[in-house]
Structure formats: C-alpha cells, structure tokens
Amino acid sequence: MKKIKIIVSIALLTFVGLSCKQTSPESTQDIGKSDESIISDPLPSWNEGTTKENIVRFVETVTKEGSPGFVPVKDRIATFDNDGNLWSERPLYFQLAFAIDRVKAMADQHPEWSTKQPFKGVLEDDMAEVLKTGMHGILELVMASHAGMTAEEFDTVVANWLSTAKHPRFNRPYNELIYQPMLELLDYLRANDFQTFIVSGGGIDFMRTWATEAYNIPSYQIVGSSIKTSFEYNDGEAVIRRLPEMDFIDDNAGKPVGIHKHIGKKPIFASGNSDGDLQMLQYADSNQYPSFMLYLHHTDSEREWAYDRDSHIGRLDQGLDEAKVKGWTVIDMKNDWKTIYPFQMNN
Amino acid sequence: MKKIKIIVSIALLTFVGLSCKQTSPESTQDIGKSDESIISDPLPSWNEGTTKENIVRFVETVTKEGSPGFVPVKDRIATFDNDGNLWSERPLYFQLAFAIDRVKAMADQHPEWSTKQPFKGVLEDDMAEVLKTGMHGILELVMASHAGMTAEEFDTVVANWLSTAKHPRFNRPYNELIYQPMLELLDYLRANDFQTFIVSGGGIDFMRTWATEAYNIPSYQIVGSSIKTSFEYNDGEAVIRRLPEMDFIDDNAGKPVGIHKHIGKKPIFASGNSDGDLQMLQYADSNQYPSFMLYLHHTDSEREWAYDRDSHIGRLDQGLDEAKVKGWTVIDMKNDWKTIYPFQMNN
C-alpha cells in the first residue's frame, strides 16, 4: 500500500508551477477522424519515415496469413495509455483540472473548506499551500471530487464539466485535445481486426464518460485506476455508490496487472508516453507472438509541448533508454506528426 | 472483509455429501452449436411456450428502430452467470473438483499434507474432516491449487485438467456439460448486436482458459472472482504471478460491482440461476431501458438435476419469490428445454 501511495503521490503532487501559454490557435469546429473509405493512406496525419514504416510493416506482418509472424485475430490486443498518449496532459492532467474545478463548484456546500487545507488552497488558487498538505491532502481532494455519489451522478458531473470547462491554452473543451494521428492509428488497427484498449493511470469512470465517443472504444475496453464502489438496493432503486477509498492504481507495474485482470491476454501492441507505461511495454515485449512497442516522445514545443527526462508530468527517462536498447519505436511528435489535434485539420 | 469471507464460506463449504449418479448417457463426439445459416428458428432447442416467446418478444422490441422500446447497439449488454446457468454445477462446482484434483496431483511435492488437514482429508476422500477445518481450511485448499504460480502456468494446469478429468455422472470432460439452449440464446443475442458477458462467482482466470471457446465469448468479456496478482520482470521475462490472497468476490452484491468495474454499463439482459445472481438481476431491472431478467430453474431430475430452495449449491429461494412478484421470466428446465447438452443433439 505504501508503494501505491507513493505512485499516486508522484502523479498528483506535480500539478503546480507548470507554464501555460494562453495562445489560441486557428481552428475549425470539426472533430475529425480518418475516413478510410476515401483515403487510401490509413495514417494520413503521419509523415513518411521510419516510425510510420515500422507501424505499417508490423501490422502487415501479423495479419498476413501463412507468414511466420501471423497472429490470430483473437490475440490481436492493442493497449494504449491515455494521458499524454491519446490526449494532452499539460499544463496539468486534465482529470486533476476536473478535481480542482469540482472542489470549487462544491465549495458552497462546504463552508468549512474556506479555512481548511488543502481546500482553502484550491479555492484561493494557492497551490503551494495545497502541496504542503502532502499526500494526505491530495487524496482528500480526489475523494471529495470523485466519491460520495452514485455512478450515474458522477457521470453527469463529468459530462457537465466537459461541456463547460475550457483548456487554458487552446480555449477548447478538454476532450477536443485528442491526437489526430492516434485516432488514425486506432482506426487502422481496428480495420486490421485488432481490439483496442485504453490502459491508463487515469480514473476508469472518468474516462468512460467521454472516451468511448472520442476514440470509438467501448466502456468495457477501458481500463484505469478506480475507487471502491458498493451496490445499494432500495425498493427497486439499484445504484452503484462511489466510496472514498482507492481500489486499484493502474500505473507502472499496475498496468500489466490491470491488463491481466480486465483483458486476460498479453498485448501484441502497446503504446505509451512515460515511464509509467514501461512495464506495459515490457509485458507486450515478452509476448511469444511478434509484438510492437511504441513510445510517444513529446518533442514539439510549438504545436504541443516538449518534455521528457526532467518532467514532473509524463516523465520519460528510463523508457527512452530502454526503447533505444530494445529497438522499440519512438514517435518524434515534431517530425512524425503532420497534425496534432482534429480541430487543426483542413477539411 | 468478514462479509466477503462468509460468502466464500457459503460457496465453498458445500461441496460434500451430494449424491452422484454414475450413469453414462448415449452420446456423440460433437460439441454442437446452433448453425443459424440453416435453421430459421434461432432457438431450436427451446420448446414453444411462454419462456421462449418472452425472450423473442424482448429481443424484437429492443432491436426495432423507431419503437419506444428501442435500445441503441452500444447499450445492448447481456450478462450471464456461469455455474448452473451456462454449464452444470453438480455434484459440486466444477472448479472445486479442479481444486481437489489439483491438491491430489501436487501431493507428492507436499509430504506434509499427508498428516495436515484439510489436505489429509482431501487425499483420503474424507470430506467430513476437510469441513472441520472450516473457512480457513477451505481457503487453504483454494490458494494451494490456484496461487503460487504464473498466469501461464495456471492456464496450462487448467487446460491439462480439462483434457483428462471426467465428470462422474456423464463421464465426459467438464466443459462438455454446457447447456445447448443457452449456447443458442447467446448466439441469438449476438446476432442481434448484443455484447454477451459472463459474470460469475467462479474464478475469472479458471473460466478464461476454456469459456472463450465453449461460449464464443472473448476473455475481456468474462468477469469473475479473482485472487491478487503481481507483475514480475526479470531480464526480459515478464510474468504475472498469482498470489495467495483474495482480490474480489464476484457474487451477490459483488456482481453489480463487478459489472460496473469491468463493463461500465448496466445490462439490459441478465441471466442467472441462484440467489447469488439476484442483485445482478435487480441491477438490470433498474435499467432505464427495457430490460429482461431470466432465471433458470433446475427442474429436471432425470436429464440434469432438480433443486432450488433447499439446495446448498445454487440455492434459488429469494430469487424465485422475487421473480414471481416482478414478473421475471423463469426457465422450467424440464419443460422448456428440448435438449440439455450439445453431445445429446442428433446430428
């Protein structure tokens, strides 16, 4: 439990002091997806080069019947991290932005928060004070914003937040900051009979409210961290109640454990962007079938963000070394991606 | 935790003193499935009558676009209990037969078991002595047979057991004792764009080794009880290690919790055979969409077994009352099913 707490701590203690450019790029209203019926290139937002070639070569190898690398359809499991891999994670994990907004929205019902840390710090935008409360305080924020309601109430709260909150740099709903090239990759894999899964350190129920629509991934193919729940039945009313207690942390070594629990098969394709994904990639790398390990390296300080070894959010250090040693494919965001977000597409 | 232990205790303390007929019915080698391409009736092993009519009417209602009862494809979730619902559970839960056989198979490596209960009792077929060790002893048996190995090793052990062990009454591999009418029902629902899930008190990893093939349900649509696991990585070798500690009991109120955790949606179709399924049916019954609750009543003492309110295994008491009050459909096995097992089909 101590190790789990440390992991949560590392993940949560970092949402402060991060620069945040307030630029608003030109945009259209469209949330684009690749339309494979009219585009022969399945990955049109990917520049030609080694990364794209590696992906296509792998997919062609495992889908070619009779070839030594062929993988039966039932074993074509692909797992994707979410934060910083399918959508952005700056200036702070979007789910933490939700938690902060939620605490602010609930403050009227909690007058005691105005004098009690870490809530006082949140309400006064004084993150230094929040952080002084340490791990215990951060967990108090998460539980106050994510627990103590039914599953359906939580879904509504998240949906309402997504429909009103705007990302500070791009001034758009957070769920528009998904990566166009990754949408194409998901589509491409599914068109080749892969089952695509999200395996994220983020909250499983938080993701399920929007990720199904954003990525075309059903709720039962989304794996994430969770709090405990209980079943309540009163006179025909059946609800799932969200409890203020951690159940599972789907990060680091928790990712293979979560994959085993929810999917029950080793992936042949694993995609992540941080050291928190390293064990998932190691797990896929040990598959007896051919497998593909993919890291997204944030190298684009202009269109998105550039960060790796020294970052508090999405740190990619050990993973970068291991990718080099093992010959895993690393996406260079700046050079490999033509477009970052769907709303930047020219339609 | 105490409540969980009591549930396990009730489930596990019952595998003794049950009669076991040693008859071997005539059979063929085929494990049959409905072939919808040549049969216009999607449920050919179901006799005409209210039960079959109710099922068909429900499916037609929720799939008819424009009708008030229409349910979008993404919300067509069907959940099925396994033991006593998709396959038999007599004379004792098949997974417990596995645990007992496994302890016997491992006895050579554990000379201390010959003098230590509950193992001594298992090795001497003296279940009375086993039961004297109570809950603690039963859990010792489960952990000795299910933990302390990698996930892959466990899969192999279960597969080997299934290929050699025979059911004492039917003298066939346990995974041939699946219900032909339920195979047709699963096929029928999937043909109408339902996603079919197993939600069982049985072990998730035990089921995954054979249920995918038996029922055409992928591993990630199988939900069950689990022990804890850990990820181990040594020099390129990545394994999931099975630990001797309970993680989750997917029974009673645990079923809606397991459904929420693994599926993330309320079912519109829930099928079970015991009071352990009652909360799952209540959960489906509270769906805002039209929903269908189905109980299998074991009424066939000749072809299968007849038991309900007083049974230690698969007790159906409260559920039978609630089904009547709420108008849920109850399968009368003796009268509603033409055939029980696939190997009894005339091909």
Side-chain angles (χ1 to χ4, degrees):
Chain A
M1 191 58 195
K2 189 159 277 181
K3 195 176 173 191
I4 286 174
K5 283 189 175 170
I6 290 168
I7 293 168
V8 183
S9 174
I10 291 169
L12 301 189
L13 280 170
T14 54
F15 62 94
V16 74
L18 297 152
S19 69
C20 164
K21 295 181 190 170
Q22 295 285 347
T23 61
S24 212
E26 290 178 347
S27 60
T28 73
Q29 284 300 318
D30 301 288
I31 303 255
K33 280 193 182 176
S34 70
D35 184 340
E36 294 179 3
S37 62
I38 54 169
I39 301 166
S40 59
D41 178 357
L43 301 172
S45 297
W46 295 67
N47 288 315
E48 300 307 317
T50 309
T51 301
K52 184 171 177 174
E53 282 165 15
N54 288 353
I55 292 170
V56 172
R57 190 186 315 115
F58 173 76
V59 171
E60 289 178 351
T61 299
V62 299
T63 56
K64 188 176 176 184
E65 275 195 71
S67 94
F70 178 75
V71 177
V73 167
K74 67 180 175 53
D75 294 318
R76 292 186 200 159
I77 302 293
T79 55
F80 287 80
D81 174 51
N82 182 46
D83 295 308
N85 194 56
L86 293 180
W87 74 353
S88 291
E89 59 187 350
R90 293 266 170 161
L92 53 100
Y93 294 123
F94 295 176
Q95 190 175 355
L96 285 173
F98 162 75
I100 289 168
D101 287 352
R102 181 74 191 141
V103 164
K104 289 179 178 175
M106 294 167 72
D108 280 354
Q109 303 150 49
H110 294 273
E112 75 278 12
W113 285 356
S114 65
T115 56
K116 185 186 170 197
Q117 295 295 4
F119 303 100
K120 184 170 184 285
V122 168
L123 299 178
E124 294 171 355
D125 290 319
D126 186 350
M127 285 301 154
E129 285 299 318
V130 173
L131 289 186
K132 282 184 191 167
T133 64
M135 176 61 199
H136 179 72
I138 301 296
L139 271 181
E140 270 197 282
L141 287 184
V142 171
M143 294 309 165
S145 55
H146 286 68
M149 65 200 94
T150 69
E152 288 178 3
E153 287 164 354
F154 181 72
D155 290 349
T156 303
V157 164
V158 175
N160 287 344
W161 177 76
L162 280 173
S163 69
T164 53
K166 296 279 173 68
H167 186 276
R169 173 173 166 187
F170 293 98
N171 196 33
R172 287 179 167 272
Y174 285 91
N175 52 343
E176 292 189 19
L177 298 187
I178 54 183
Y179 300 134
Q180 175 64 27
M182 296 305 261
L183 296 180
E184 294 167 8
L185 177 55
L186 289 166
D187 279 345
Y188 177 50
L189 291 172
R190 287 188 291 253
N192 283 280
D193 295 322
F194 282 70
Q195 294 292 328
T196 53
F197 292 83
I198 294 175
V199 178
S200 169
I204 188 167
D205 293 324
F206 178 81
M207 289 188 286
R208 281 173 169 165
T209 58
W210 58 271
T212 295
E213 194 178 334
Y215 307 129
N216 199 15
I217 293 178
S219 57
Y220 51 86
Q221 293 184 197
I222 297 174
V223 180
S225 299
S226 56
I227 58 176
K228 287 190 188 296
T229 67
S230 67
F231 176 69
E232 288 180 7
Y233 188 68
N234 299 306
D235 206 24
E237 183 75 20
V239 298
I240 295 292
R241 173 81 49 194
R242 298 172 60 79
L243 307 177
E245 189 182 346
M246 283 309 299
D247 179 44
F248 181 66
I249 303 285
D250 189 52
D251 206 11
N252 298 97
K255 291 208 174 193
V257 169
I259 289 169
H260 178 72
K261 185 194 307 236
H262 285 261
I263 307 176
K265 278 180 188 285
K266 225 177 238 195
I268 63 164
F269 189 108
S271 157
N273 72 297
S274 78
D275 285 353
D277 301 309
L278 181 56
Q279 287 85 352
M280 176 168 76
L281 270 63
Q282 290 169 338
Y283 191 49
D285 197 20
S286 74
N287 203 315
Q288 61 175 354
Y289 290 122
S291 55
F292 193 81
M293 283 57 65
L294 183 64
Y295 257 129
L296 170 56
H297 190 188
H298 290 261
T299 54
D300 197 326
S301 60
E302 292 192 7
R303 295 185 301 171
E304 209 242 6
W305 286 270
Y307 55 97
D308 47 37
R309 296 182 189 275
D310 298 323
S311 176
H312 291 293
I313 287 185
R315 181 194 303 258
L316 180 59
D317 180 33
Q318 200 186 337
L320 217 45
D321 294 335
E322 197 151 330
K324 193 167 184 181
V325 170
K326 299 195 168 159
W328 297 345
T329 297
V330 178
I331 301 167
D332 175 344
M333 182 185 273
K334 184 176 178 180
N335 291 307
D336 285 331
W337 285 2
K338 281 184 196 160
T339 306
I340 307 292
Y341 302 120
F343 59 79
Q344 297 165 333
M345 299 278 282
N346 296 318
N347 286 299
Chain B
M1 189 60 194
K2 188 158 279 181
K3 196 177 173 191
I4 285 174
K5 283 189 175 168
I6 290 168
I7 293 168
V8 183
S9 173
I10 291 169
L12 300 190
L13 281 171
T14 53
F15 63 94
V16 74
L18 296 152
S19 68
C20 164
K21 294 181 190 170
Q22 295 284 348
T23 61
S24 212
E26 290 178 346
S27 60
T28 73
Q29 284 300 317
D30 300 287
I31 302 256
K33 280 194 181 172
S34 70
D35 183 342
E36 293 178 6
S37 61
I38 54 170
I39 302 165
S40 60
D41 178 358
L43 301 172
S45 296
W46 295 68
N47 288 315
E48 300 307 316
T50 309
T51 302
K52 184 171 176 173
E53 283 165 15
N54 288 353
I55 292 170
V56 172
R57 191 185 314 115
F58 173 76
V59 171
E60 288 178 352
T61 298
V62 300
T63 56
K64 188 176 177 184
E65 275 194 71
S67 95
F70 179 75
V71 177
V73 167
K74 68 180 174 55
D75 293 317
R76 292 185 201 160
I77 302 292
T79 55
F80 287 79
D81 175 50
N82 182 46
D83 295 308
N85 195 56
L86 294 180
W87 73 354
S88 291
E89 59 187 350
R90 293 265 169 163
L92 54 100
Y93 294 123
F94 295 176
Q95 190 175 356
L96 285 173
F98 162 74
I100 289 168
D101 287 352
R102 181 73 190 141
V103 164
K104 288 179 177 175
M106 294 166 73
D108 280 355
Q109 303 150 48
H110 294 273
E112 74 279 11
W113 285 356
S114 65
T115 56
K116 186 188 171 195
Q117 295 294 4
F119 303 100
K120 183 170 183 285
V122 168
L123 299 178
E124 295 171 354
D125 290 319
D126 186 349
M127 285 301 154
E129 285 299 318
V130 173
L131 289 186
K132 281 184 191 167
T133 64
M135 176 60 199
H136 178 73
I138 301 296
L139 271 181
E140 270 197 283
L141 287 184
V142 171
M143 294 309 165
S145 55
H146 286 69
M149 65 200 94
T150 69
E152 288 178 3
E153 287 164 355
F154 181 72
D155 290 348
T156 302
V157 164
V158 176
N160 287 344
W161 178 76
L162 279 174
S163 69
T164 54
K166 295 278 173 67
H167 186 276
R169 173 172 167 189
F170 292 97
N171 196 33
R172 288 181 166 271
Y174 285 91
N175 52 341
E176 291 188 19
L177 298 187
I178 55 183
Y179 300 134
Q180 175 63 27
M182 296 305 260
L183 295 181
E184 294 167 7
L185 177 55
L186 288 166
D187 278 345
Y188 177 50
L189 292 173
R190 287 189 290 252
N192 283 280
D193 295 323
F194 282 69
Q195 293 292 327
T196 54
F197 291 82
I198 294 175
V199 178
S200 169
I204 189 167
D205 293 324
F206 177 81
M207 290 188 286
R208 281 174 170 165
T209 58
W210 57 271
T212 295
E213 194 178 334
Y215 308 129
N216 200 14
I217 293 178
S219 58
Y220 51 87
Q221 293 182 200
I222 297 174
V223 181
S225 299
S226 56
I227 58 176
K228 287 191 188 295
T229 67
S230 66
F231 176 70
E232 289 180 7
Y233 189 69
N234 299 306
D235 205 25
E237 184 74 20
V239 297
I240 295 292
R241 173 82 48 193
R242 297 173 61 78
L243 307 178
E245 189 182 347
M246 284 308 299
D247 179 44
F248 180 65
I249 303 285
D250 189 51
D251 206 12
N252 298 97
K255 290 207 174 193
V257 169
I259 289 168
H260 178 72
K261 186 194 305 234
H262 284 262
I263 307 176
K265 278 178 188 284
K266 224 177 239 194
I268 64 164
F269 189 108
S271 157
N273 72 297
S274 78
D275 286 353
D277 301 309
L278 181 56
Q279 287 86 350
M280 176 168 77
L281 270 63
Q282 290 170 337
Y283 191 49
D285 198 20
S286 74
N287 203 315
Q288 61 175 354
Y289 290 122
S291 55
F292 193 81
M293 283 57 65
L294 183 64
Y295 256 130
L296 170 57
H297 190 189
H298 290 262
T299 53
D300 196 326
S301 60
E302 293 192 6
R303 296 184 302 171
E304 209 243 7
W305 286 269
Y307 55 96
D308 47 37
R309 295 182 190 275
D310 298 323
S311 176
H312 291 293
I313 287 185
R315 180 193 303 258
L316 179 60
D317 180 34
Q318 200 186 336
L320 216 45
D321 294 335
E322 196 150 330
K324 193 168 185 181
V325 170
K326 300 197 167 159
W328 298 345
T329 297
V330 178
I331 301 166
D332 175 345
M333 182 185 273
K334 184 176 178 181
N335 292 307
D336 285 331
W337 285 2
K338 282 183 196 161
T339 307
I340 307 291
Y341 302 119
F343 59 79
Q344 297 165 334
M345 299 279 282
N346 295 319
N347 286 300

